[in-house]
Amino acid sequence: VCRSNKSPWVCLTCSSVHCGRYVNGHAKKHYEDAQIPMTNHKKTEKQEKVQHTVCMDCSSYSTYCYRCDDFVVNDTKLGLVQKVREHLQNLENSAFTSDRHRKRKLLENSSLTSKLLKVNGSTTALCATGLRNLGNTCFMNAILQSLSNIQQFCCYFKELPAVELRNGKTAGRRTYHTRSQGDNNVSLVEEFRKTLCALWQGSQTAFSPESLFYVVWKIMPNFRGYQQQDAHEFMRYLLDHLHLELQGGFNGVSRSVILQEGSNLSASNKCCINGASTVVTAIFGGILQNEVNCLICGTESRKFDPFLDLSLDIPSQFRNKRTKTQENGPACTLRDCLRSFTDLEELDETELYMCHKCKKKQKSTKKFWIQKLPKVLCLHLKRFHWTAYLRNKVDTYVEFPLRGLDMKCYLLEPENSGPESCLYDLVAVVVHHGSGVGSGHYTAYAAHEGRWFHFNDSTVTLTDEETVGKAKAYILFYVERQAKPGAEKL
C-alpha cells in the first residue's frame, strides 16, 4: 500500500503483507477492514473464523493478535505458527545468500568502510552498533546511545542478572516479556539491560529495540503512537521509571541493595529522589538550593530540591540569531546559560511568593545554588518555547566545552570541594535537527574509548571533536573528572 520495506507484517490468515504498527499501520488497517460486518447477511460459522486477527513480524518472527491487542506465545496443536516461522527463515536465508557474497566482495575490495577504520596504520573493526528506527523512534535511539556511553551507568545494568520465571513448569527458564503476562512481569530494567548488552559488541550492523519499545508503550502511555516525541521528556520518564523499578527489586531482592556504586558512597552523600537511592540517583542525582527573599520584609526562605538534570534557558539576547550577519556578534556559550539559570532573579506578578512573615503573597527574588554536584551532569537546553498558538524552536548555536567544564562558581560551598571534583568532560550530545518539537530528527554524538561517534539510528560513523563542537546541542552529558592519585597532597 505504502511501498515501505520497513517492518513487514504478514497476515497468517490470507498471507498478505503490510507495514507494521511502527510505520504506517497498514497491517492494523487490514485487520480492521476484515471486521466490517456484512449487512443483510447472516454470518456463517466459516466467516466468523476468518477474522484476519493474527499476523507475524517478518523480521523478528513475533506473533501478534489484534483482537487481544497483544503478542501471543502459544501455537496451534499442529505447530502451524512455528512452520510459518521456519518457512520465512528459509526464504530469508535463500534470498540473502547471493547478497552476502556480494557484500563480502565489496568488503574485501574496500580500503575503508563504515565498519572498518585505520588506527596507527592497522585496520580494526568498528564495534559500535546502531539502533533501528521503529517509526519516529529516533528520540529514543539518541537517548539510549548517549546513556550506553556513560560507563558507570551502563556497566551496572549490563552486570545485572537476567530476569527469569520462577514458578510452575517454566521455573528457571528464560522469559521474554509480553504484555499478556501482566504489569508485574513487564520489566523496563530487563529490556534496558538487554538493549545495552546488544550495543558495542560489534556482531551486527544494527539492533532493533522492539522489546524495549513494547515495554515503554505499556508503562509510559505518553509515548504510544508513531508521532515524533521529545527526547528530553523521554529521558526523564525513562530514568524515573528505571529508578522506581530498581527500588522495587526482582527475585525478592531489592536491586538498590546490591547497588555496587553504593558501597563507595555514604548514605548522606546519596541524592535520594522518591525513596531509596539507586544507580540512577547515585550517578545523575544532584541537589539544588532554592533561595527566595521577600522584597517587603526581607525574610529569607531556603529549600533543597533534588535533580537528575538541569534545564537551562538560552538567554533572550541570543535567541534571534538566525542569519549569518547576526551570528557574527557575541556567541552564546554554555556559561551564559548556566549564569542565567543561577543569577538572582526577581519573580514576576504571576509568581508572587507566599511570605510567612507578611502572611500574604509578596514580590520576591529567587536564586539557585548547587548544593551537591552529580557524577554525571546532564544539561538540557530549552530550545522549545510555547507561543500563543504553536511551539517554536530556538535554533541558536550554543558554544560548549568538550573538556574542563568548571562548575565551582555555581556551588553553594565551593571551598568544600576537591581540586578536580568540579571539572567535567563531555561524553555525549543529543541534537535535534529541524524546526519543530513534533517533527524533525534526533541524532547523538558520544565518546567511546577516546573516539567520537555519530549515532544516526542504524547508521554509526566515526567523527572528530571539531564536528561535535559545531553541533547545536539539545542535551549535554558531562562526566565528573576523576582526581589523579596524589592530587590531594599537592
Side-chain angles (χ1 to χ4, degrees), residues 288-356:
L288 280 176
Q289 177 181 288
N290 186 354
E291 190 175 287
V292 180
N293 282 280
C294 176
L295 290 175
I296 307 303
C297 69
T299 300
E300 186 179 90
S301 173
R302 294 178 185 175
K303 69 172 184 175
F304 295 97
D305 297 317
F307 68 87
L308 294 178
D309 68 318
L310 297 178
S311 290
L312 312 177
D313 276 307
I314 295 174
S316 55
Q317 66 265 32
F318 298 107
R319 287 186 195 172
N320 296 322
K321 286 189 172 184
R322 293 187 180 270
T323 66
K324 290 183 179 179
T325 53
Q326 287 174 313
E327 292 286 356
N328 292 334
C332 181
T333 66
L334 188 59
R335 186 170 289 277
D336 291 322
C337 300
L338 283 164
R339 193 181 296 119
S340 174
F341 179 78
T342 55
D343 273 355
L344 189 69
E345 170 193 4
E346 186 171 335
L347 299 175
D348 59 33
E349 296 291 333
T350 60
E351 299 178 293
L352 292 178
Y353 161 68
M354 182 66 189
C355 179
H356 298 292

Side-chain angles (χ1 to χ4, degrees), residues 151-415:
Q151 192 173 5
Q152 287 176 294
F153 187 68
C154 182
C155 286
Y156 171 81
F157 284 94
K158 289 202 288 189
E159 291 169 6
L160 287 176
V163 176
E164 295 179 344
L165 287 174
R166 300 179 302 281
N167 51 9
K169 295 179 181 178
T170 56
R173 291 184 195 170
R174 182 63 179 272
T175 176
Y176 293 89
H177 298 297
T178 66
R179 291 183 291 173
S180 59
Q181 291 175 302
D183 286 341
N184 293 335
N185 282 316
V186 173
S187 170
L188 181 65
V189 170
E190 168 67 354
E191 295 305 336
F192 186 68
R193 181 193 71 80
K194 288 196 286 188
T195 302
L196 292 181
C197 288
L199 301 175
W200 293 107
Q201 60 185 13
S203 62
Q204 51 192 333
T205 53
F207 174 75
S208 183
E210 287 175 322
S211 299
L212 175 62
F213 200 42
Y214 297 150
V215 176
V216 168
W217 271 42
K218 183 70 177 177
I219 65 175
M220 305 180 201
N222 293 20
F223 298 97
R224 290 177 185 170
Y226 319 103
Q227 67 273 24
Q228 183 65 276
Q229 302 282 359
D230 182 80
H232 174 249
E233 187 180 0
F234 172 75
M235 182 196 76
R236 284 307 312 268
Y237 269 89
L238 178 69
L239 292 179
D240 287 345
H241 278 84
L242 287 172
H243 173 64
L244 291 171
E245 196 173 303
L246 286 167
Q247 285 180 317
F250 295 91
N251 297 336
V253 180
S254 172
R255 279 183 168 166
S256 59
V257 172
I258 59 170
L259 172 61
Q260 299 300 318
E261 190 65 32
S263 61
N264 301 324
L265 294 167
S266 66
S268 60
N269 260 344
K270 292 180 185 178
C271 171
C272 297
I273 300 171
N274 299 327
S277 176
T278 66
V279 68
V280 176
T281 52
I283 298 293
F284 291 96
I287 300 173
L288 280 176
Q289 177 181 288
N290 186 354
E291 190 175 287
V292 180
N293 282 280
C294 176
L295 290 175
I296 307 303
C297 69
T299 300
E300 186 179 90
S301 173
R302 294 178 185 175
K303 69 172 184 175
F304 295 97
D305 297 317
F307 68 87
L308 294 178
D309 68 318
L310 297 178
S311 290
L312 312 177
D313 276 307
I314 295 174
S316 55
Q317 66 265 32
F318 298 107
R319 287 186 195 172
N320 296 322
K321 286 189 172 184
R322 293 187 180 270
T323 66
K324 290 183 179 179
T325 53
Q326 287 174 313
E327 292 286 356
N328 292 334
C332 181
T333 66
L334 188 59
R335 186 170 289 277
D336 291 322
C337 300
L338 283 164
R339 193 181 296 119
S340 174
F341 179 78
T342 55
D343 273 355
L344 189 69
E345 170 193 4
E346 186 171 335
L347 299 175
D348 59 33
E349 296 291 333
T350 60
E351 299 178 293
L352 292 178
Y353 161 68
M354 182 66 189
C355 179
H356 298 292
K357 188 173 182 180
C358 299
K359 305 294 185 188
K360 63 177 182 179
K361 290 185 175 181
Q362 300 282 33
K363 283 189 174 183
S364 56
T365 60
K366 179 181 74 173
K367 181 172 175 60
F368 284 121
W369 295 95
I370 298 176
Q371 202 248 354
K372 174 188 173 294
L373 282 165
K375 291 185 174 296
V376 174
L377 178 65
C378 178
L379 301 175
H380 160 235
L381 299 179
K382 291 157 77 170
R383 291 197 173 274
F384 300 106
H385 290 269
W386 284 105
T387 59
Y389 301 104
L390 63 138
R391 206 176 184 188
N392 284 337
K393 182 183 177 184
V394 180
D395 208 32
T396 305
Y397 169 70
V398 177
E399 282 185 9
F400 54 90
L402 270 68
R403 295 183 190 83
L405 173 65
D406 193 349
M407 295 294 293
K408 195 164 190 173
C409 59
Y410 310 108
L411 276 178
L412 182 64
E413 297 173 340
E415 65 277 3

Side-chain angles (χ1 to χ4, degrees), residues 434-478:
S435 57
V437 66
S439 60
H441 182 60
Y442 287 99
T443 65
Y445 293 96
H448 185 82
E449 295 180 353
R451 294 178 296 186
W452 280 94
F453 295 86
H454 184 215
F455 298 91
N456 183 2
D457 286 335
S458 56
T459 305
V460 183
T461 53
L462 197 65
T463 188
D464 52 44
E465 291 185 355
E466 185 181 357
T467 304
V468 176
K470 290 178 180 177
K472 290 184 178 178
Y474 182 46
I475 306 171
L476 296 152
F477 295 89
Y478 281 93

